[in-house]
Amino acid sequence: MSSAKLGSASEDVSRRDANYHPTVWGDFFLTHSSNFLENNDSILEKHEELKQEVRNLLVVETSDLPSKIQLTDEIIRLGVGYHFETEIKAQLEKLHDHQLHLNFDLLTTSVWFRLLRGHGFSISSDVFKRFKNTKGEFKTEDARTLWCLYEATHLRVDGEDVLEEAIQFSRKKLEALLPELSFPLSECVRDALHIPYHRNVQRLAARQYIPQYDAEPTKIESLSLFAKIDFNMLQALHQSELREASRWWKEFDFPSKLPYARDRIAEGYYWMMGAHFEPKFSLSRKFLNRIIGITSLIDDTYDVYGTLEEVTLFTEAVERWDIEAVKDIPKYMQVIYTGMLGIFEDFKDNLINARGKDYCIDYAIEVFKEIVRSYQREAEYFHTGYVPSYDEYMENSIISGGYKMFIILMLIGRGEFELKETLDWASTIPEMVKASSLIARYIDDLQTYKAEEKRGETVSAVRCYMREYGVSEEEACKKMREMIEIEWKRLNKTTLEADEISSSVVIPSLNFTRVLEVMYDKGDGYSDSQGVTKDRIAALLRHAIEI
């Protein structure tokens, strides 16, 4: 069938519809901009003054190591650690080499352990054994100590029995104590029990912690004010980036031209901001926001709307990667294809060629082609009735989940490292990238497989596992949750073992995994963004912090 005939006959094809809700934002982010800086003439000067005060607090020599550990942790939790990366690294190196940790109490040991492991330092979990009594039980009833211990346990790796015991002990104690706690500790504990800090999106964790820290009687006034001002300044930058993305989205008119697809440009920006929020990565965020937008349209086309013949034509056009190929695909797909080529052309001009690393565009295009191929396989599963084995399904899902693609594109966009060797390594799907991708797939499938089955799809990690191993749906879901914990331990381990090449992938792997944990913690928060996702986006991108 010719493409012209297919295009004209496509309206007669029976189409599925996922009934995705329209955008919850309307044109808000297209027109909204923060007036924070406009109404505060001296704010930049105050910001710089406070930053210096905080830096001085951080670098001053002191024999009070527990206070220095606490300060370092608070700076990071408040979301301003990116201003002091050099100073924080120097402090952690000193703390890693110091033997005085043997005199720390359990609270300080827990924060010290989490800080160092969280920054790639190898620390033995045996440091916690001295806090157990003769019966092998931990010896604390203090809620703040239990909170810090619980947070530390989420950096565990396989085989660390003391941390497995600690997480069970601390969670049980905290759940029992929570009704008795008062603000702000009650909220710190509630947030940790829901999503622990190590697995939370950094920007969201900072937004939660700023008012909690502000209510602490021991807070440092200059640090508290600096965190508020910095949050609002960054929010203004992020709003301007989302406004630009919203303008691009509106110009292509994707929502009206592709009404079956998810209209989620703001949610996509939230996703990419969660992965790297710092000002220096602005261009990378702008590119990745467009990428997730166009990828989402392609995903919905393959999953929901397109016939097998149509998506096959689109896959062939992507393989050609040529504007002339637009003539060979149905008309409704042409807006996607044109938008896709335009994104990569802009990426090449503004991010790659500008840095003299033109070879990166080949990696970017190839990894995008790869995800389209994986969508093609999933479309074939549905349209032909083929049911893959569990391993076959998971192998394809590692690609279709998108995390390998996003990690590689983020590496290119950040441009911080000797890229070619790193990109060659990341393209092989090493353990770090694989663990991140598997967590994403398990979390996604657990939250979406029932909704997908309602529209006729029967292939998922849950169903493939049930079929292959002869277990119930409940048992399969339990296994998926266990696998998430196993892969988190593997991801933690690979970050601790990172060498010069793999170290550049640590932050992208961790942050993209964190975004999935948060986006899907109460359902599919991307497809259905009317609830908690909307609230979180509003907190980060709409409402400034009162000063």
Side-chain angles (χ1 to χ4, degrees):
M1 182 183 291
S2 72
S3 60
K5 188 174 181 180
L6 181 62
S8 61
S10 61
E11 295 306 316
D12 299 327
V13 174
S14 177
R15 307 283 185 178
R16 291 184 295 154
D17 188 349
N19 294 312
Y20 295 125
H21 66 79
T23 177
V24 298
W25 302 107
D27 286 339
F28 177 79
F29 288 116
L30 187 67
T31 58
H32 180 71
S33 62
S34 172
N35 60 2
F36 179 70
L37 293 176
E38 296 173 12
N39 294 341
N40 293 272
D41 294 337
S42 61
I43 201 68
L44 293 176
E45 183 179 339
K46 185 64 176 178
H47 181 264
E48 191 61 33
E49 175 189 323
L50 290 169
K51 181 165 71 172
Q52 192 55 50
E53 286 186 34
V54 174
R55 177 179 283 112
N56 292 340
L57 289 171
L58 185 59
V59 301
V60 66
E61 293 293 335
T62 178
S63 58
D64 185 4
L65 289 181
S67 294
K68 180 55 69 74
I69 291 168
Q70 190 67 31
L71 173 66
T72 305
D73 185 46
E74 287 164 350
I75 288 172
I76 295 170
R77 275 183 171 269
L78 288 166
V80 295
Y82 71 99
H83 288 291
F84 314 108
E85 291 177 352
T86 301
E87 293 85 350
I88 288 172
K89 182 180 179 182
Q91 292 296 328
L92 295 180
E93 286 174 346
K94 291 178 184 177
L95 290 169
H96 182 242
D97 296 336
H98 224 298
Q99 293 302 308
L100 289 179
H101 69 81
L102 296 174
N103 298 320
F104 294 162
D105 59 14
L106 179 54
L107 186 154
T108 303
T109 299
S110 298
V111 179
W112 170 82
F113 178 87
R114 178 172 52 77
L115 273 175
L116 288 171
R117 274 218 179 169
H119 286 79
F121 291 90
S122 181
I123 298 292
S124 173
S125 59
D126 289 348
V127 297
F128 290 101
K129 290 182 177 179
R130 65 187 179 90
F131 297 104
K132 301 175 74 174
N133 60 27
T134 55
K135 296 180 180 179
E137 301 167 335
F138 286 92
K139 300 177 289 185
T140 185
E141 298 289 331
D142 176 66
R144 189 172 293 272
T145 299
L146 289 164
W147 167 50
C148 293
L149 176 61
Y150 180 74
E151 294 280 32
T153 62
H154 288 87
L155 287 99
R156 67 195 186 283
V157 302
D158 189 41
E160 293 190 310
D161 293 341
V162 66
L163 292 181
E164 295 292 350
E165 295 167 8
I167 192 172
Q168 300 298 328
F169 167 80
S170 56
R171 183 193 292 121
K172 183 178 179 180
K173 291 284 187 180
L174 287 170
E175 288 173 345
L177 287 169
L178 184 56
E180 305 170 12
L181 302 179
S182 57
F183 185 82
L185 182 57
S186 58
E187 289 306 303
C188 292
V189 170
R190 187 174 285 107
D191 289 342
L193 289 173
H194 183 54
I195 303 176
Y197 179 75
H198 181 59
R199 299 187 183 183
N200 204 348
V201 172
Q202 288 180 304
R203 204 79 201 122
L204 187 61
R207 184 64 180 85
Q208 293 168 333
Y209 190 61
I210 287 171
Q212 294 165 3
Y213 178 75
D214 195 46
E216 290 284 0
T218 57
K219 72 175 180 182
I220 299 171
E221 290 286 352
S222 58
L223 176 56
S224 180
L225 181 56
F226 179 62
K228 294 175 188 176
I229 293 174
D230 194 72
F231 179 90
N232 289 348
M233 288 176 61
L234 257 182
Q235 185 184 73
L237 170 65
H238 293 154
Q239 287 172 346
S240 70
E241 293 172 0
L242 180 51
R243 188 165 60 253
E244 183 179 326
S246 300
R247 190 179 301 118
W248 168 80
W249 189 254
K250 191 173 184 67
E251 286 173 356
F252 266 94
D253 199 16
F254 291 121
S256 64
K257 292 177 179 176
L258 306 167
Y260 61 85
R262 289 167 289 186
D263 183 359
R264 301 290 183 271
I265 194 66
E267 289 79 0
Y269 181 81
Y270 165 60
W271 200 309
M272 294 306 122
M273 181 189 68
H276 56 332
F277 67 87
E278 299 89 337
K280 63 183 177 179
F281 300 129
S282 179
L283 280 175
S284 179
R285 274 191 301 278
K286 291 177 183 179
F287 168 67
L288 285 172
N289 188 200
R290 294 187 182 191
I291 284 290
I292 196 172
I294 211 78
T295 304
S296 181
L297 297 177
I298 296 172
D299 187 19
D300 291 342
T301 301
Y302 279 65
D303 268 0
V304 175
Y305 191 77
T307 66
L308 183 57
E309 292 82 6
E310 289 171 353
V311 299
T312 300
L313 286 174
F314 190 88
T315 301
E316 291 169 355
V318 171
E319 293 289 1
R320 287 172 60 186
W321 206 267
D322 181 355
I323 191 59
E324 291 299 313
V326 77
K327 295 181 295 187
D328 298 325
I329 57 178
K331 287 185 178 180
Y332 79 92
M333 289 179 160
Q334 292 175 3
V335 65
I336 304 176
Y337 194 80
T338 304
M340 176 195 76
L341 293 182
I343 291 169
F344 278 84
E345 197 59 35
D346 288 346
F347 184 48
K348 180 179 178 181
D349 292 341
N350 296 321
L351 263 176
I352 294 178
N353 289 351
R355 294 173 178 167
K357 296 180 178 179
D358 55 338
Y359 61 85
C360 289
I361 194 64
D362 295 329
Y363 289 90
I365 291 173
E366 179 54 37
V367 78
F368 195 86
K369 287 181 178 180
E370 187 178 45
I371 198 171
V372 172
R373 293 179 200 126
S374 72
Y375 290 164
Q376 175 74 25
R377 291 189 195 97
E378 291 179 349
E380 290 169 358
Y381 295 162
F382 173 78
H383 289 287
T384 66
Y386 175 73
V387 180
S389 68
Y390 174 73
D391 288 342
E392 183 183 357
Y393 172 81
M394 292 305 299
E395 182 179 358
N396 189 63
S397 291
I398 288 175
I399 305 302
S400 67
Y403 269 31
K404 176 190 173 183
M405 179 185 74
F406 285 127
I407 287 170
I408 287 177
L409 294 180
M410 186 172 170
L411 284 172
I412 296 172
R414 289 168 73 104
E416 296 179 298
F417 306 94
E418 183 52 50
L419 273 174
K420 193 172 190 314
E421 193 174 2
T422 303
L423 292 173
D424 284 337
W425 175 80
S427 296
T428 66
I429 318 181
E431 284 297 298
M432 191 182 299
V433 176
K434 184 178 180 180
S436 181
S437 300
L438 286 172
I439 293 168
R441 173 47 56 194
Y442 290 132
I443 291 173
D444 187 322
D445 273 21
L446 278 171
Q447 297 291 4
T448 63
Y449 80 97
K450 288 188 176 180
E452 290 172 350
E453 286 175 359
K454 288 180 180 179
R455 60 176 186 253
E457 296 177 37
T458 58
V459 177
S460 66
V462 174
R463 295 302 178 192
C464 287
Y465 192 88
M466 289 171 61
R467 181 174 180 269
E468 189 151 330
Y469 294 98
V471 299
S472 68
E473 184 175 346
E474 182 180 358
E475 289 172 316
C477 290
K478 180 182 177 183
K479 183 65 176 180
M480 300 297 106
R481 288 188 284 271
E482 290 174 356
M483 290 303 298
I484 290 170
E485 295 303 317
I486 289 170
E487 294 302 330
W488 260 112
K489 293 176 193 176
R490 183 171 294 147
L491 182 56
N492 288 340
K493 187 172 188 289
T494 59
T495 60
L496 291 173
E497 296 174 345
D499 56 21
E500 189 175 351
I501 294 175
S502 58
S503 62
S504 59
V505 185
V506 168
I507 297 302
S509 291
L510 280 172
N511 283 348
F512 275 120
T513 310
R514 289 163 172 158
V515 172
L516 244 293
E517 284 274 0
V518 171
M519 187 74 82
Y520 286 78
D521 76 309
K522 291 186 176 180
D524 182 352
Y526 180 77
S527 296
D528 183 1
S529 60
Q530 299 171 102
V532 67
T533 299
K534 181 181 178 182
D535 295 338
R536 288 167 176 167
I537 292 174
L540 292 180
L541 292 167
R542 183 169 185 169
H543 304 308
I545 293 179
E546 187 175 344
I547 296 176

